Amino acid sequence: MKYKIKSICCIGAGYVGGPTMAVIADKCPNVVVEVVDVNKERIDDWNNENFDKLPVYEPGLSEIIKRCRNRNLFFSTLIEDKIRNADMVFISVNTPTKTKGVGAGKASDLKWVEACARQVAKFAKGHTIVVEKSTLPVRTAEVIKSILESSEKNSLTESNDSSFDVLSNPEFLSEGTAINDLVNPDRILIGGEKEDAIEALCDVYRNWVSEEKILKTNVWSSELAKLTANAFLAQRISSINSISALCEETGADVREVSRAIGSDSRIGSKFLQSGPGFGGSCFKKDILNLVYLSEFFGLPEVATFWEGVVKLNNWHQKRISKLVVKKLFGTVANKKITILGFAFKANTNDTRESSAIPICKDLIEEGAILKIHDPKVDPNQISRDLGKEQKKEKDLAKEGDWIFEKNIKSACLDSDALIILTEWSDYSQIDWIEIENVMRKPSWIFDSRSVIDPKDFVKSNLNVWRVGDGSIL
Ligand code: UDX
Ligand code: ADP
């Protein structure tokens, strides 16, 4: 039977659900796209008249929302209603790592996914294609399917004519470039059992994606491919970060090493940028999922191999905070330190797993007074991440405090050190003479993102450290 999709409901209005549904609505004007979430505040923000106040910052997103919102793209908390009317339901809710019970610290917590599956089971009418979009451990589709099937059999549904198909359709968008990634994807991956359901989802993507980019697999391959893609990407970053430490000791420059190895077409040049360690909601979680799966299936060597990628990342983040303390004569207590960038990468307001979090926590623990600047991150989010409220300027004398600064220059006033943790383009345009004049001497610049040009510092008295640069000044 051929299914024609006219209405889509997406459960979860976050960093994945929001931008993905915006692009689907934009590219498929004949499909009504309803994005629902339990979080009313988030939904209100998506409906905000002021497009600068959308809950997710992504270049190009607000323009799409302007075009589509209240045309064929709607945001609401009417979860039950929208499930009832949908031909296709995307599950795009968060799946954080479990903090307790079996698999704690490694396996993903599926309670939100399970809750969604139960809601879909209860309220769906007619035939509904359920698509898992969240990053999920392998075999989650099976969980969703068994919940849906048991309600079919036991008549737990509102209507007695409901039936379901479950597809896996992992998202590969990268924050900061999400709109371009969605509009021009490298591939669309669809895992499923029934040809009709797979075709229905293919038809949605065919509105703007060419046929050869749509890959069809079985459900397990699709789920495992998503974890593997993220694990491979994260592994490249840990690899280059490990080499950056070696560069600093040997007089080599990690940028030169990256260029040299990246021009080998077998290696390729992407994801070889040494930084403060990878962050973001996916890499660590997905690798830990792989570790959990490998242990579960009795493959400890495989588990240890992938766990090493996360361990190296943790070590590298610590290495940076330790190094700052060491360069500042072994103590940062009561010293002002400017932090430029708190987001886990540029062009997003997302701070999940950002390397800035452990690095700032370490420095606060050592007694530093941090002056944090980020062009897009909300200071309330920084308070939540650091587990500490910011102080007012006049109360800042104490050790281990932090304050949010809107202006880069005032963030540097009287600081002993400045650390660049996110590669925002504003930071590559800084006038270093101006900064040198307002910092306390001797002053240090730590660039963990290769944003600065060391040539700009030849005549200055600023001390400079750049990640992986053993040749510096
Ligand atoms: C990642 C995957 O790229 C994406 O396909 C998946 O859907 C979700 O997870 P995301 O976390 O948004 O996307 O960002 P990504 O660009 O992959 O960066 C992750 C982290 O790695 C960031 O902290 C980034 O700064 C860091 N990174 C990336 C490096 O340190 N060096 C690099 O060369 C690339
Ligand atoms: P992601 O990066 O995967 O999009 P987010 O945390 O940004 O993750 O977004 C997930 C969203 O899913 C949140 O806004 C959360 O409120 C929502 N959510 C979680 N569980 C449910 C549920 N059962 N029903 C509706 N929305 C949910």
Side-chain angles (χ1 to χ4, degrees):
M1 183 180 164
K2 191 164 162 52
Y3 303 115
K4 176 119 188 79
I5 305 302
K6 294 201 209 70
S7 57
I8 288 177
C9 168
C10 173
I11 311 179
Y15 282 90
V16 173
T20 308
M21 292 304 126
V23 169
I24 290 184
D26 200 27
K27 297 293 182 186
C28 312
N30 298 324
V31 176
V32 173
V33 180
E34 298 276 357
V35 186
V36 294
D37 202 295
V38 279
N39 184 338
K40 181 168 182 311
E41 205 183 321
R42 203 164 224 192
I43 290 297
D44 289 345
D45 286 343
W46 280 111
N47 285 321
N48 203 309
E49 285 305 312
N50 179 350
F51 290 93
D52 288 336
K53 294 260 157 56
L54 296 177
V56 170
Y57 170 73
E58 269 299 332
L61 175 63
S62 61
E63 287 79 0
I64 300 181
I65 301 287
K66 262 181 219 166
R67 275 200 297 277
C68 302
R69 197 173 65 191
N70 299 331
R71 182 192 76 184
N72 65 329
L73 175 66
F74 303 89
F75 294 91
S76 74
T77 52
L78 305 171
I79 302 177
E80 299 171 10
D81 254 19
K82 303 306 172 188
I83 291 174
R84 272 188 204 105
N85 294 325
D87 303 317
M88 184 173 268
V89 175
F90 283 79
I91 298 185
S92 191
V93 299
N94 36 335
T95 50
T97 305
K98 275 181 89 170
T99 51
K100 52 185 178 197
V102 179
K106 290 194 183 127
S108 271
D109 196 335
L110 290 184
K111 67 178 173 219
W112 289 279
V113 172
E114 193 183 322
C116 283
R118 289 186 193 281
Q119 275 177 308
V120 177
K122 185 156 180 207
F123 300 111
K125 284 203 312 206
H127 188 74
T128 307
I129 299 171
V130 179
V131 183
E132 52 169 42
K133 196 70 176 159
S134 317
T135 305
L136 293 163
V138 180
R139 304 199 90 89
T140 306
E142 204 168 58
V143 174
I144 298 176
K145 206 162 147 248
S146 65
I147 291 171
L148 297 172
E149 277 172 0
S150 83
S151 50
E152 265 173 340
K153 279 194 210 104
N154 300 316
S155 308
L156 295 173
T157 50
E158 263 189 359
S159 71
N160 46 23
D161 68 335
S162 59
S163 59
F164 304 96
D165 278 308
V166 181
L167 300 176
S168 158
N169 174 217
E171 189 47 72
F172 294 103
L173 68 80
S174 169
E175 288 176 32
T177 54
I179 302 303
N180 184 50
D181 296 343
L182 287 160
V183 173
N184 304 299
D186 285 344
R187 77 312 208 175
I188 296 291
L189 183 56
I190 302 178
E193 285 170 4
K194 303 247 189 71
E195 197 51 38
D196 299 343
I198 296 173
E199 273 307 296
L201 184 54
C202 287
D203 278 344
V204 172
Y205 285 113
R206 282 185 187 117
N207 282 291
W208 77 98
V209 180
S210 57
E211 195 67 38
E212 70 277 8
K213 286 194 172 171
I214 304 179
L215 312 182
K216 301 168 202 170
T217 66
N218 74 28
V219 180
W220 323 129
S221 304
S222 166
E223 289 180 329
L224 189 56
K226 165 75 188 198
L227 296 189
T228 309
N230 278 344
F232 268 56
L233 291 169
Q235 171 270 122
R236 280 173 75 92
I237 302 168
S238 278
S239 299
I240 202 66
N241 284 340
S242 74
I243 298 301
S244 78
L246 206 51
C247 287
E248 287 163 31
E249 298 299 329
T250 57
D253 180 342
V254 76
R255 282 146 293 269
E256 291 178 355
V257 175
S258 290
R259 202 172 66 233
I261 64 168
S263 47
D264 183 326
S265 59
R266 292 168 304 175
I267 296 175
S269 60
K270 292 182 180 162
F271 269 72
L272 287 180
Q273 174 99 37
S274 183
F278 58 76
S281 69
C282 284
F283 282 178
K284 189 167 156 202
K285 182 182 77 177
D286 286 358
I287 293 177
L288 293 177
N289 257 320
L290 265 190
V291 170
Y292 179 71
L293 267 181
S294 311
E295 280 170 355
F296 182 82
F297 288 110
L299 300 166
E301 289 78 6
V302 180
T304 307
F305 175 77
W306 288 110
E307 200 163 20
V309 174
V310 175
K311 281 191 175 153
L312 195 287
N313 199 51
N314 295 341
W315 169 81
H316 183 68
Q317 291 166 338
K318 277 258 173 264
R319 180 175 96 77
I320 292 180
S321 49
K322 275 193 191 152
L323 187 141
V324 171
V325 176
K326 194 169 154 210
K327 298 273 191 205
L328 296 185
F329 310 116
T331 176
V332 292
N334 240 317
K335 291 181 181 164
K336 294 198 175 107
I337 298 183
T338 308
I339 302 291
L340 295 189
F342 202 84
F344 81 97
K345 62 186 283 196
N347 297 319
T348 177
N349 59 344
D350 194 351
T351 63
R352 285 176 293 177
E353 300 292 339
S354 174
S355 292
I357 301 171
I359 292 174
C360 288
K361 276 187 170 169
D362 280 353
L363 294 171
I364 286 178
E365 177 72 28
E366 293 276 345
I369 298 160
L370 303 184
K371 302 169 91 182
I372 304 178
H373 174 274
D374 190 287
K376 291 289 172 195
V377 174
D378 181 345
N380 293 320
Q381 184 57 46
I382 302 179
S383 294
R384 286 193 287 275
D385 290 334
L386 296 180
K388 201 176 169 74
E389 292 292 322
Q390 65 167 321
K391 281 277 157 58
K392 297 222 162 59
E393 185 78 52
K394 62 180 173 51
D395 304 325
L396 252 191
K398 248 179 66 207
E399 286 187 7
D401 280 340
W402 73 276
I403 187 168
F404 187 77
E405 294 278 0
K406 282 205 180 100
N407 175 286
I408 298 177
K409 193 173 165 191
S410 56
C412 297
L413 193 64
D414 294 332
S415 288
D416 290 73
L418 173 158
I419 314 175
I420 301 172
L421 291 179
T422 312
E423 71 283 23
W424 287 104
S425 62
D426 304 13
Y427 303 154
S428 54
Q429 285 145 30
I430 291 176
D431 176 345
W432 291 107
I433 298 175
E434 211 175 66
I435 297 300
E436 185 175 354
N437 288 338
V438 298
M439 288 180 78
R440 193 166 87 139
K441 318 243 157 6
S443 342
W444 272 94
I445 307 298
F446 297 90
D447 178 10
S448 75
R449 289 288 190 173
S450 303
V451 166
I452 62 167
D453 183 347
K455 287 205 257 358
D456 295 344
F457 293 83
V458 175
K459 288 198 184 123
S460 93
N461 289 316
L462 291 165
N463 299 298
V464 176
W465 172 89
R466 216 163 47 131
V467 70
D469 197 343
S471 68
I472 208 155
L473 302 177

